[in-house]
Amino acid sequence: MATAEPIIMPGYQGEAIHGPYDDPDGDSDADSGVPDYQGASVEQVFELFSATAPRGWRVELIEGEICVTPPANGEHEEIVSRLNRQIIRKDPDDFLFTYTGIGLNVPGASETGHVVPDLVVAPEGSFDDEKQFHDTLPVLLVAEVASPGTADRDREKKIRGYARAGIPVYLLIDREEAEITVYSEPSGDEYAQAPKHKIGLTAPLPAPFGFELDTAKF
């Protein structure tokens, strides 16, 4: 039985994981009782990993690559919480909801990309269903707090996916670079506007937000 190419999953804390239809020992799956996934599409393998990932682990399909990330650390979650609080406090009409753990469908190298941003901002009721991954039409902002294991895809691949999906604002909080990039005006595979601001200063957010984000505690 032919061995499939490894599926490298950034962020995984252990040995590289190969495709679930690999047969590294050369034994037949028919004899072992293990399902035979030879010829499975990346979407099918993604569904398998999603169903079997430990609680709290994030499984995404980005530009045709399956990425599995362990739960975030406390510093990461503190930044997400501070961002969450500021957005809610700046919404006088109590119109916006902030979501963590919400899956979105974005265009990518595969038929569909599946991502789970650190924070999603959308009107109340935008995801009131039982789906795991949702259309991006109501989304007003997505935010990612870059970590060593996710920084490359947050800085490159996810930008393309969010722009293709037409998400108005992508906020990238990059701790390694000590800066925040505010992407807006999506056009094709990129954003027309991408001003950078040093963490510790204020970062103006464009419409529909129109306020200055205080990053002093980021």
Side-chain angles (χ1 to χ4, degrees), residues 140-176:
L140 301 176
L141 178 148
V142 292
E144 300 283 5
V145 179
S147 301
T150 67
D152 287 345
R153 57 182 181 266
D154 290 340
R155 294 170 185 154
E156 298 178 15
K157 295 179 180 180
K158 283 192 172 181
I159 295 173
R160 295 193 290 270
Y162 293 147
R164 292 181 193 124
I167 294 174
V169 181
Y170 170 35
L171 186 62
L172 174 59
I173 302 172
D174 196 327
R175 293 178 290 175
E176 288 186 327

Side-chain angles (χ1 to χ4, degrees), residues 2-9 12 14-25 37 45 48-49 52 66 68:
T3 301
E5 291 294 322
I7 297 174
I8 305 302
M9 301 190 296
Y12 181 72
E15 298 178 355
I17 290 183
H18 296 265
Y21 43 88
D22 283 357
D23 187 20
D25 297 325
Y37 292 98
V45 179
L48 174 67
F49 283 140
T52 58
I66 297 173
V68 178

Side-chain angles (χ1 to χ4, degrees), residues 59-106:
V59 184
E60 300 175 294
L61 178 57
I62 305 170
E63 298 286 329
E65 180 183 59
I66 297 173
C67 305
V68 178
T69 309
N73 60 31
E75 180 185 18
H76 179 284
E77 292 303 285
E78 285 282 344
I79 294 174
V80 173
S81 295
R82 290 186 178 115
L83 174 61
N84 185 351
R85 177 182 294 181
Q86 288 193 54
I87 291 174
I88 292 301
R89 286 180 173 177
K90 296 291 185 178
D91 178 25
D93 298 325
D94 197 26
F95 172 69
L96 299 178
F97 267 35
T98 55
Y99 303 85
T100 58
I102 284 290
L104 300 177
N105 292 317
V106 298

Side-chain angles (χ1 to χ4, degrees), residues 139-217:
V139 176
L140 301 176
L141 178 148
V142 292
E144 300 283 5
V145 179
S147 301
T150 67
D152 287 345
R153 57 182 181 266
D154 290 340
R155 294 170 185 154
E156 298 178 15
K157 295 179 180 180
K158 283 192 172 181
I159 295 173
R160 295 193 290 270
Y162 293 147
R164 292 181 193 124
I167 294 174
V169 181
Y170 170 35
L171 186 62
L172 174 59
I173 302 172
D174 196 327
R175 293 178 290 175
E176 288 186 327
E177 300 295 329
E179 65 184 17
I180 295 176
T181 307
V182 183
Y183 296 93
S184 63
E185 300 181 21
S187 177
D189 291 351
E190 57 188 24
Y191 284 90
Q193 302 296 324
K196 298 181 183 294
H197 309 275
K198 286 294 182 183
I199 290 180
L201 304 178
T202 58
L205 297 185
F209 300 95
F211 70 88
E212 291 195 342
L213 181 68
D214 182 2
T215 71
K217 294 184 178 181

